[in-house]
Amino acid sequence: MTAEEIRASLLRAGFEPDEIPALLGNIDVETGGSFDFRQIEDTTNENKGYGLFQFTGGHLTSYLDYLKDTEQEDSADAQTKFVYANIYDNDPPHVIGAGNQEKIRKVFEDGSPSEQSDVFARWYERFEGSENDDTFLPGMLRGRWYDEYLDKLDRFFPNNQAPSYNERIKRSRKYD
């Protein structure tokens, strides 16, 4: 699939146009640029991510249950509708964590594109290390600070999460 096909899917799911770049940037990273809703994570980990958002564990189980409950086939539209429901429904098919739903809603309402990308990655995608509050550099370079400092300092701090956040933000700018 293409980024434009996924953009259309996100709009059909109910996302607002100003939310789309952050989501597309994250999907671009998660799928390695393929935008394939059947993408399986290339990793040696036992639990491999699946789809546009690389669902794993309980998130993947909830998605498969959602497909049965809604009588849908797996597709880009089913995945984007599932994610939309998890963010905006009062009784979501998958609970994304205490307060995380509200954090994402709030930043989608009034955050910058960089902040939207950051918060979605941190509280929805929740990739390894994304929730570490004690990691100084990612906090400094995420969101609005990234706009000012770009990724100039990444090379001085190996093994931190800033490059992953920054790549999501950089890619989201392509879709704005």
Side-chain angles (χ1 to χ4, degrees):
M1 297 191 82
T2 67
E4 287 310 307
E5 290 171 314
I6 300 303
R7 178 188 301 273
S9 179
L10 290 163
L11 289 168
R12 284 191 297 273
F15 287 103
E16 296 293 327
D18 66 330
E19 299 166 344
I20 305 295
L23 295 164
L24 285 175
N26 275 279
I27 292 168
D28 193 345
V29 169
E30 293 291 335
T31 64
S34 74
F35 293 93
D36 182 356
F37 71 88
R38 290 178 232 108
Q39 177 77 31
I40 297 173
E41 184 178 20
D42 182 15
T43 181
T44 58
N45 294 342
E46 185 176 328
N47 291 324
K48 298 183 184 319
Y50 175 76
L52 298 172
F53 301 92
Q54 292 297 284
F55 304 132
T56 57
H59 211 149
L60 179 58
T61 301
S62 294
Y63 172 65
L64 297 173
D65 290 344
Y66 169 81
L67 290 177
K68 288 179 195 166
D69 294 345
T70 59
E71 299 179 356
Q72 294 183 68
E73 296 289 322
D74 182 30
S75 66
D77 281 350
Q79 291 180 23
T80 58
K81 288 176 186 175
F82 174 72
V83 171
Y84 181 87
N86 291 335
I87 295 170
Y88 288 107
D89 285 6
N90 290 330
D91 185 21
H94 180 78
V95 176
I96 57 177
N100 296 349
Q101 186 184 45
E102 189 54 38
K103 289 173 190 172
I104 296 168
R105 285 181 186 174
K106 181 173 178 4
V107 77
F108 277 5
E109 179 66 30
D110 59 16
S112 72
S114 295
E115 291 168 328
Q116 290 174 348
S117 179
D118 170 55
V119 169
F120 184 79
R122 188 169 193 202
W123 301 112
Y124 193 92
E125 294 290 358
R126 297 168 70 172
F127 55 88
E128 185 177 347
S130 68
E131 298 176 55
N132 295 348
D133 285 329
D134 60 350
T135 306
F136 171 73
L137 188 61
M140 183 180 88
L141 288 181
R142 286 195 303 255
R144 63 187 170 87
W145 290 102
Y146 179 80
D147 290 331
E148 186 173 342
Y149 296 105
L150 226 53
D151 57 347
K152 294 176 179 72
L153 299 177
D154 288 350
R155 65 191 144 168
F156 298 114
F157 298 93
N159 302 319
N160 69 74
Q161 286 295 331
S164 182
Y165 283 110
N166 295 352
E167 188 60 30
R168 292 163 195 273
I169 292 168
K170 280 193 272 191
R171 292 190 193 190
S172 71
R173 289 184 174 150
K174 293 190 319 189
Y175 307 108
D176 195 8

